[in-house]
Amino acid sequence: MHEMSLAEGIRSIVDDAVSSQQLGRVRSVVVEIGELSAVEVDALAFCFEAVMKGGPAEGARMEVVRVPGSGWCMQCAQTVVVSRLYDPCPQCGSYQVQPTGGTEMRVRELEVD
Ligand SMILES: [Zn+2]
């Protein structure tokens, strides 16, 4: 499962931050998820809970911030807003849209005690 490896990636980021900055218990982890990243938020939340067990973020909440998607339409020759991967350009209907933003997932911040 794709989300399990993402959750493990979050865990290693959290563990590194906690040990390098000598943080206490992590209460919540704010994760940015791009609209075009194809991440299933429910599945990720489930994996997050399982993966964080036994670490500094056990029982922490995962807060999701959605980042809107954007792409470059070759027909319009400009950046357009796209809400899903492989959606057509909202202006001309062309499918020649290269995703340029909102394709990633990253840890934005940790809330600690
Ligand atoms: Zn277009």
Side-chain angles (χ1 to χ4, degrees):
M1 194 153 72
H2 173 60
E3 279 73 17
M4 187 54 93
S5 57
L6 292 174
E8 282 165 358
I10 295 173
R11 161 118 194 208
S12 66
I13 290 168
V14 169
D15 286 358
D16 283 356
V18 167
S19 62
S20 68
Q21 299 170 52
Q22 300 184 323
L23 305 174
R25 275 206 79 73
V26 177
R27 275 189 293 132
S28 61
V29 180
V30 183
V31 180
E32 278 184 2
I33 300 178
E35 296 279 6
L36 307 184
S37 65
V39 174
E40 291 268 357
V41 174
D42 288 349
L44 182 62
F46 179 80
C47 295
F48 178 90
E49 203 183 322
V51 164
M52 294 305 165
K53 285 210 169 83
E58 179 169 1
R61 263 180 326 129
M62 184 184 81
E63 282 183 36
V64 173
V65 177
R66 302 302 309 234
V67 178
S70 59
W72 175 260
C73 174
M74 293 191 216
Q75 296 295 322
C76 301
Q78 65 179 25
T79 299
V80 294
V81 175
V82 278
S83 53
R84 272 177 307 176
L85 210 54
Y86 310 122
D87 262 10
C89 169
Q91 297 192 33
C92 72
S94 160
Y95 281 89
Q96 288 176 288
V97 180
Q98 297 284 335
T100 54
T103 58
E104 294 181 336
M105 187 209 78
R106 69 184 189 95
V107 175
R108 185 154 92 178
E109 60 179 289
L110 307 177
E111 283 176 27
V112 292
D113 282 338

